Amino acid sequence: TPKGADVVKPSRSKELPPSDPDWLYVRTASMVRKVYIRAGTGVGGFRKVYGGQQRRGTQTKHFCKSSGKVARYVLQQLEEMGLVEQDENGG
């Protein structure tokens, strides 16, 4: 796991970092499954999938995407292990 994985928030909509110390491994397994089901998914697609409703107090809720750094890091690690590869058309 990278340094600071215990203090980083996986999305702008979250108020606190995850309480599970293995959250990065769970996210990685979920992303591998999603790549298997729907090939060609990139960082932007994963940001949309793992995004959520941002609570803004008395204002209406607003959808915001998740962290791109987490998705990019996981995809880079999976590419180093040989589980995913980049598409010729991008993604």
Side-chain angles (χ1 to χ4, degrees):
T1 59
K3 286 191 262 185
D6 55 343
V7 295
V8 71
K9 295 191 314 181
S11 176
R12 198 179 81 197
S13 65
K14 303 294 181 188
E15 294 181 6
L16 295 171
S19 58
D20 183 14
D22 294 333
W23 71 271
L24 192 61
Y25 300 114
V26 174
R27 174 66 59 94
T28 303
S30 174
M31 287 177 68
V32 169
R33 181 179 178 276
K34 289 187 184 300
V35 167
Y36 177 75
I37 291 171
R38 185 174 179 194
T41 307
V43 174
F46 283 120
R47 287 188 70 193
K48 194 180 295 183
V49 166
Y50 293 110
Q53 298 294 327
Q54 183 178 15
R55 297 173 59 191
R56 305 187 300 162
T58 58
Q59 300 171 339
T60 57
K61 295 177 184 173
H62 184 75
F63 179 81
C64 69
K65 296 179 181 178
S66 69
S67 171
K69 168 76 174 170
V70 173
R72 198 168 28 258
Y73 174 78
V74 169
L75 286 175
Q76 287 172 352
Q77 295 300 315
L78 291 174
E79 190 175 1
E80 285 181 11
M81 292 191 302
L83 295 175
V84 297
E85 60 185 24
Q86 288 191 359
D87 193 11
E88 301 86 32
N89 302 328

